Amino acid sequence: MDDVATANGVDDEPFPEWLRPPHRGFAVDDLFRLTDLPSHTQLVDGALVFRARQSAYHSLANSLLVEGLRRTCPAHLRVRREMIVVLGPGQAPEPDVSVLRAEAVQGLEANRYDARDVVLAVETVAPDSAIRDRERKPQLYARAGIPHFWLVEEGTGRRPVVHVHRLDPGAGAYVLTGVHEGRLTLSEPFGIDIDLTAIDRM
């Protein structure tokens, strides 16, 4: 039996370390120490979370928002896509889009940001992560004090529908302030005007 296993290469490949979670779950340092993790691995509640392949809609919706945010982003803020945000021990999700304080952006080698530097976190709902996007991640972002959160759903004609939330510091939770279809026009966290129908021309 051992000869068969070796001949098939089973014994030649080391068992990936990330398949053996610690008793208390993974920590943020583990996320960056384990070099053989799939790209875009996140850490939620001490568990490693892997992302399915993106659909064209998901990619285009995020590109539309990034381009629109950058068009009017003030000098004291920066827009980033798919970057880890460290919220606390065992919590390091990767929002689809983030708006950060400019002083937190120290160079192109950065691979994570702290929650205290995030002004807006955006999650575009995907089939493999719908519950996390709609429920768990907003809870975590709110508890970490991120002031603004957008949840992006797929609407009619595969156009994005943006659910805009603002943090209620007293409740430690987000309050829905508007649902935007067709056009996203806001005055906070800065002046924003994004034609959501532009996805049809991308």
Side-chain angles (χ1 to χ4, degrees), residues 58-147:
H58 194 272
S59 177
L60 290 174
N62 290 333
S63 294
L64 176 66
L65 295 175
V66 167
E67 292 167 10
L69 287 166
R70 284 183 175 152
R71 197 161 45 243
T72 57
C73 187
H76 69 280
L77 297 174
R78 297 287 186 273
V79 181
R80 291 292 182 268
R81 181 172 175 171
E82 297 171 346
M83 292 292 295
I84 289 290
V85 174
V86 177
L87 307 178
Q91 309 290 3
E94 183 184 271
D96 288 299
V97 182
S98 304
V99 175
L100 312 158
R101 296 187 302 113
E103 53 265 39
V105 179
Q106 298 297 322
L108 297 179
E109 70 284 352
N111 61 6
R112 74 194 86 173
Y113 296 104
D114 291 327
R116 65 176 177 271
D117 296 315
V118 180
V119 173
L120 165 68
V122 181
E123 292 290 350
T124 299
V125 175
D128 68 301
S129 61
I131 293 176
R132 284 193 303 274
D133 294 338
R134 294 180 180 134
E135 298 179 17
R136 188 58 179 144
K137 284 188 175 182
Q139 292 174 344
L140 295 172
Y141 294 147
R143 289 175 188 173
I146 295 175

Side-chain angles (χ1 to χ4, degrees), residues 18-58:
W18 50 267
L19 288 178
R20 294 188 179 95
H23 178 65
R24 295 187 178 180
F26 288 103
V28 172
D29 287 344
D30 296 323
L31 184 63
F32 296 93
R33 178 181 58 80
L34 299 171
T35 56
D36 57 346
L37 287 174
S39 29
H40 299 288
T41 299
Q42 306 174 66
L43 186 65
V44 177
D45 297 328
L48 298 175
V49 176
F50 309 109
R51 188 180 73 176
R53 292 185 183 275
Q54 284 190 344
S55 66
Y57 163 77
H58 194 272

Side-chain angles (χ1 to χ4, degrees), residues 14 38 84 94 96 102 113 121 131 151 158 168-169 172 186 188 199:
I84 289 290
E94 183 184 271
D96 288 299
Y113 296 104
I131 293 176
L151 183 71
R158 307 208 77 182
D168 178 346
L186 301 170
E188 57 177 11
I199 196 170

